[in-house]
């Protein structure tokens, strides 16, 4: 199960994730949380409380990196 909490600070959105990204439902929940931040200029994924990521979750992280208007050269987590 994945819990997602979004904090908006000006043009920054911090998407805090807790739990596991192991089923497609969790991956879609993450996608929806990130892609709904249309007013944010910067979206940060805080994954320090994620205990497991399976293939679908990893694929979603790659999708989100490619979805970003200016993809970063490396994925970083706080």
């Amino acid at each position: 199960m994945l819990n997602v909490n979004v904090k908006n600070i000006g043009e920054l959105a911090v998407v805090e994730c807790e739990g596991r990204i192991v089923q497609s439902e969790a991956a879609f929940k993450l996608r929806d949380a990130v892609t709904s931040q249309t007013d944010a200029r910067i979206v940060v994924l805080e994954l320090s409380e994620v205990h497991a990521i399976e293939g679908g979750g990893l694929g979603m992280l790659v999708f989100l990196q490619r979805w970003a208007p200016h993809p970063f050269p490396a994925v970083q987590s706080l």
Side-chain angles (χ1 to χ4, degrees):
M1 179 172 183
L2 179 68
N3 295 315
V4 177
N5 183 34
V6 179
K7 293 183 181 178
N8 292 296
I9 306 164
E11 294 182 329
L12 172 71
V14 179
V15 180
E16 299 175 333
C17 301
E18 179 183 355
R20 301 164 36 135
I21 309 173
V22 295
Q23 296 178 341
S24 52
E25 179 182 322
F28 293 140
K29 186 175 187 178
L30 175 61
R31 179 200 63 194
D32 294 344
V34 172
T35 58
S36 67
Q37 303 307 309
T38 56
D39 293 335
R41 194 169 153 261
I42 300 169
V43 177
V44 175
L45 291 179
E46 204 285 288
L47 302 173
S48 65
E49 295 299 319
V50 172
H51 305 293
I53 301 175
E54 286 186 354
L58 185 58
M60 187 59 69
L61 292 174
V62 171
F63 165 80
L64 291 170
Q65 183 182 23
R66 292 179 181 267
W67 170 83
H70 302 287
F72 297 99
V75 176
Q76 299 179 355
S77 89
L78 299 177

